[in-house]
Amino acid sequence: MRRFFCERCDERIAFDAFACDSCDAELGYVPELGDVQVITAGPPSVYTIAGPGSKRSRCLNAAWGCNWTLPIDDVGDWCRSCRLTRGRPDESDADAVDAWVAAEAAKRRLVHQLDELGLPTDTSAAPGLPALAFDLVYLPGAPEVTGYLDGVVTLDLTETDDAHSDELRRAFAEPLRSTLGHLRHEVGHHYWHLLVADRPGALATFRALFGDERTDYGAAIESHHAHIGTVEHGADHVTSYASAHPLEDWAETFAHYLHVHDALGSADAAGLRVDVADIFRPRQEPGFRSDFARWRRMASAINEVTESLGSRPAYPFDPGPGTVDKLALVDGLIGRFGGHDRDGG
């Protein structure tokens, strides 16, 4: 993610900030601009920013950590991200509310990234594809309910608990497990319909790389779970779960692409470089493969830092050529859909 700066004092501010730590200016995220802006309070519940659409209101979920704003004449009281949530837990349960707040923070980061990539969250205009929605469910002790079906991403909010998530990470032999990762994976299923299923050329290329998605899904997933920890996914799948079925391969690859896109963007925004070539020959060869080569070097350095602090590697992956081909396809399909295709992808 890129960095954000206060318009008033030019100090760095956080994506989720309500006020500048340096000058105390009141802040709000403006999704139409993809930026955190200084907002000036006027009449009750009305704020002003510079430029078009200057009259804003805060999202009704501001009390629960949402700093997003919406036009004052917009229909409804929730921002673009919060209104995607169709179901949330009972507010009388403090643990459930804490989990919901954490999940919404991850979802806002996801929506911001989807906006940057030109992927619409309102996909109801696409033939046969419902609008994207989220059910955030808090059922401690119940079987895992995270998944995707007919436009709805269901997230088990117990995934926001670090201890529980780490327990499942070991049980399912997953190198990385996070709330944001789950959201990225599940929306990957949604965007498969938009980017691949309804595009004959893309579907043929998908099947050549990922396999035939018409393979029995239920049987494939059952077989995978019966052999967890014993399956070697090799160089053509980013994770073991990706080897279970072509549609899970796509979702895992899509999520991984978003991981790399966001992480490399954050590193670039911070001015991080790992060797002389990065400083004096930045991105000589345009396209995803060049970016991913830079990311490999960056990730190696980041892993060395996290391991020196006694933590697990931040990026516990080593994608092989087959996986990179799949990531490049995701990049190309997103780029062509969003109108910003890059050469050399």
Side-chain angles (χ1 to χ4, degrees):
M1 182 183 287
R2 68 182 180 83
R3 289 186 162 189
F4 301 92
F5 296 90
C6 177
E7 300 166 89
R8 182 174 297 173
C9 68
D10 206 34
E11 288 296 317
R12 185 184 172 192
I13 52 179
F15 173 63
D16 57 358
F18 280 84
C20 175
D21 289 337
S22 179
C23 70
D24 294 326
E26 192 165 0
L27 304 171
Y29 179 78
V30 182
E32 298 91 333
L33 302 177
D35 197 15
V36 181
Q37 299 265 304
V38 171
I39 60 174
T40 304
S45 302
V46 177
Y47 299 85
T48 304
I49 62 169
S54 60
K55 298 296 183 183
R56 316 285 299 180
S57 61
R58 281 203 180 276
C59 177
L60 192 62
N61 287 332
W64 292 276
C66 180
N67 71 331
W68 286 34
T69 67
L70 59 155
I72 196 67
D73 57 354
D74 204 346
V75 176
D77 298 315
W78 289 275
C79 70
R80 282 188 53 245
S81 178
C82 288
R83 71 180 56 170
L84 293 173
T85 298
R86 193 180 69 166
R88 74 188 206 190
D90 186 347
E91 291 177 17
S92 66
D93 187 331
D95 291 337
V97 169
D98 288 344
W100 164 65
V101 168
E104 288 287 4
K107 180 161 69 69
R108 286 191 291 274
R109 185 172 187 122
L110 171 66
V111 173
H112 170 79
Q113 185 178 28
L114 295 174
D115 286 346
E116 283 193 322
L117 291 170
L119 292 174
T121 51
D122 183 1
T123 53
S124 56
L129 185 60
L132 181 64
F134 294 80
D135 281 346
L136 306 181
V137 181
Y138 190 72
L139 299 170
E144 176 76 19
V145 296
T146 296
Y148 171 83
L149 182 65
D150 297 334
V152 179
V153 171
T154 300
L155 178 70
D156 187 339
L157 289 176
T158 56
E159 290 286 354
T160 64
D161 179 78
D162 289 340
H164 178 72
S165 182
D166 194 54
E167 180 182 341
L168 293 179
R169 180 188 64 80
R170 291 193 298 270
F172 290 107
E174 296 180 346
L176 183 66
R177 191 179 181 98
S178 68
T179 302
L180 181 56
H182 276 303
L183 294 173
R184 285 170 169 167
H185 172 100
E186 300 304 343
V187 299
H189 286 298
H190 188 71
Y191 289 109
W192 182 84
H193 294 280
L194 190 69
L195 299 174
V196 180
D198 295 329
R199 298 167 180 263
L203 185 58
T205 305
F206 166 84
R207 286 174 178 166
L209 277 178
F210 290 84
D212 192 335
E213 80 286 355
R214 295 167 294 188
T215 302
D216 189 315
Y217 179 84
I221 299 303
E222 183 178 352
S223 176
H224 171 78
H225 286 307
H227 299 91
I228 285 176
T230 64
V231 178
E232 292 292 334
H233 57 275
D236 292 337
H237 300 92
V238 68
T239 63
S240 175
Y241 191 48
S243 67
H245 188 274
L247 291 179
E248 294 304 336
D249 192 5
W250 164 270
E252 286 285 86
T253 304
F254 184 92
H256 201 86
Y257 174 80
L258 296 189
H259 286 333
V260 171
H261 178 272
D262 200 12
L264 189 57
S266 297
D268 284 345
L272 299 179
R273 295 290 184 268
V274 293
D275 59 31
V276 173
D278 279 342
I279 297 173
F280 293 103
R281 295 197 305 274
R283 297 190 60 179
Q284 272 193 327
E285 301 174 7
F288 174 78
R289 294 179 191 277
S290 176
D291 282 349
F292 193 74
R294 288 196 304 122
W295 170 243
R296 279 191 189 277
R297 298 195 296 274
M298 184 71 65
S300 177
I302 292 171
N303 284 345
E304 289 177 12
V305 172
T306 57
E307 289 170 347
S308 72
L309 296 173
S311 300
R312 293 192 302 269
Y315 183 74
F317 303 95
D318 184 20
T323 297
V324 176
D325 288 344
K326 293 172 182 177
L327 289 166
L329 176 63
V330 172
D331 178 74
L333 292 173
I334 291 175
R336 286 191 286 277
F337 182 88
H340 49 81
D341 193 18
R342 299 181 297 167
D343 294 331

